[in-house]
Amino acid sequence: MPASTPWSDLQAELEQREAAGLLRRRRLIDGRQQPVLHSDGAEVLSFCSNDYLGLASHPDLIAAMQQAAAEAGVGSGASHLITGHHRLHHELEEALAEFVGLPRALMFSTGYMANLGVVTALLGRGDAVFADRLNHASLNDAVVLSRAELNRYPHNDVAALEKLLENSTAKRKLVLADAVFSMDGDIAPVPQLLAACERHNAWLMLDDAHGFGVLGRHGRGVLEHFGVHSSRIIYMATLGKAAGVFGAFVAGDPQLIEYLLQKARTYIYTTAMPPALAGALKAALPIIGQESARREQLRTLIDALRGGLRLQRWRLDPSGTPIQPLIIGSNEEALQASEYLRDRGILVPAIRPPTVLQGTARLRISLSAAHQHEHIERLIDALHGAEKALS
Ligand SMILES: *Cc1c(COP(=O)(O)O)cnc(C)c1O
């Protein structure tokens, strides 16, 4: 027996995880974020990134960040409510609000923090949240931290949601949903969710992490996609995915936003993000809005993948977004499929429970406008080979 240390319990748990094949390790990435990555010293074709529009290495964004850093320095120095709120942040907030067509926006350092900040500022004991079962982990954590009651409804099941709302006597009610579900790629039925919220006087918070930049003719996200407008909506989107940089914002009614500015703890008790990031994001917005060719390229790649795959035992679930879920079922087989691809220089993550429901282990394929058709063809060939080899 090795001598016990203050951390022996943790070590035992890590060893159990390793034995169960659940120990995670990080790839070491070098160079720029792009479909062909330098990972652990080799070149690999990646279908893992959320850089849906290929902006993370865009020369205009790099130049904008360099220029903003030269002007504003690299650190914000303080939180927003002290002296960290730079003109570049302020201008970006105004541009974001205008971009998504809502009156006012407030920046947060990450989407995770935005979700925690909003839910804990608005709700407490005696209030209730109604959440889709497939919501992102950050939304679930936010509810726990808020101490509101958590009611989960089956994925996209508006009738079940209505029943829960009807039976609730909570003071404040908040319906909480991913706009695009992060492991499935499908889109929440926003008009129906909104109608249910109107009938039951609930707020509706949408997490558009995967829709912003991607959905809608101008990439304005899920609200543009459905053409919905309502002052009842709390809109949250992240800026580290399609927008290519980092950060997040919440947009909505001016009273809501002023309240969050006063009360959201993850806004108040943290250093403002570097203003140079805001400078890069300001350069991203016109590219997102005007270069619809990037969204058209994504669309043709999605169609090429969906049209080209001929699967026997596995299935590609319906999704019109860059997140394409290839359902394999068994945890072990999903892992083997991911390893088969990796051995051929292709990275696609295997996603297993508890991140997804039992029996729905999958390959989560993410496409980017920066992919080329030959990349999709390589992926299709390798998937056909994997399904055959593992049968
Ligand atoms: C990525 C993601 C977040 C977290 O955003 P970060 O800016 O990466 O912290 C929140 N919600 C959803 C649905 C996400 O996919």
Side-chain angles (χ1 to χ4, degrees), residues 43-56:
E43 277 211 339
V44 292
L45 174 58
S46 162
F47 293 92
C48 304
S49 164
N50 304 312
D51 180 25
Y52 301 124
L53 299 179
L55 298 185

Side-chain angles (χ1 to χ4, degrees), residues 50 52 109-115 135-139 178-183 207-210 236-241 246-248 323 364:
N50 304 312
Y52 301 124
S109 288
T110 71
Y112 194 111
M113 290 168 71
N115 285 341
N135 276 353
H136 191 259
S138 59
L139 291 171
D178 283 22
V180 174
F181 287 86
S182 53
M183 297 298 142
D207 176 339
D208 205 19
H210 299 279
M236 196 291 290
T238 63
L239 300 168
K241 289 172 179 159
F246 191 75
I323 302 168
R364 179 183 184 273

Side-chain angles (χ1 to χ4, degrees), residues 83-249:
T83 54
H85 189 61
H86 193 275
R87 176 179 53 78
L88 290 168
H89 297 123
H90 202 74
E91 289 170 359
L92 178 63
E93 283 181 345
E94 291 175 347
L96 287 165
E98 188 184 328
F99 189 76
V100 295
L102 290 165
R104 196 173 168 197
L106 186 68
M107 295 201 61
F108 285 78
S109 288
T110 71
Y112 194 111
M113 290 168 71
N115 285 341
L116 293 192
V118 171
V119 177
T120 59
L122 298 180
L123 304 182
R125 281 203 180 86
D127 300 326
V129 171
F130 304 84
D132 190 290
R133 267 191 58 78
L134 298 190
N135 276 353
H136 191 259
S138 59
L139 291 171
N140 297 334
D141 293 357
V143 180
V144 172
L145 196 58
S146 77
R147 301 183 176 87
E149 174 190 279
L150 174 60
N151 303 275
R152 302 218 289 173
Y153 59 90
H155 182 46
N156 283 343
D157 187 341
V158 181
L161 166 64
E162 290 246 20
K163 281 226 178 67
L164 290 170
L165 285 167
E166 242 164 64
N167 294 331
S168 171
T169 55
K171 210 158 64 210
R172 291 179 177 172
K173 299 179 199 143
L174 173 69
V175 172
L176 203 50
D178 283 22
V180 174
F181 287 86
S182 53
M183 297 298 142
D184 293 76
D186 59 341
I187 302 173
V190 172
Q192 290 80 0
L193 292 176
L194 181 59
C197 289
E198 276 165 358
R199 277 193 287 275
H200 299 280
N201 195 28
W203 293 321
L204 175 59
M205 178 168 178
L206 298 169
D207 176 339
D208 205 19
H210 299 279
F212 182 81
V214 171
L215 295 181
R217 206 158 81 79
H218 304 93
R220 291 174 187 177
V222 75
L223 300 181
E224 184 187 24
H225 175 80
F226 284 112
V228 295
H229 296 277
S230 166
S231 74
R232 191 177 285 284
I233 291 177
I234 305 163
Y235 179 83
M236 196 291 290
T238 63
L239 300 168
K241 289 172 179 159
V245 187
F246 191 75
F249 69 100

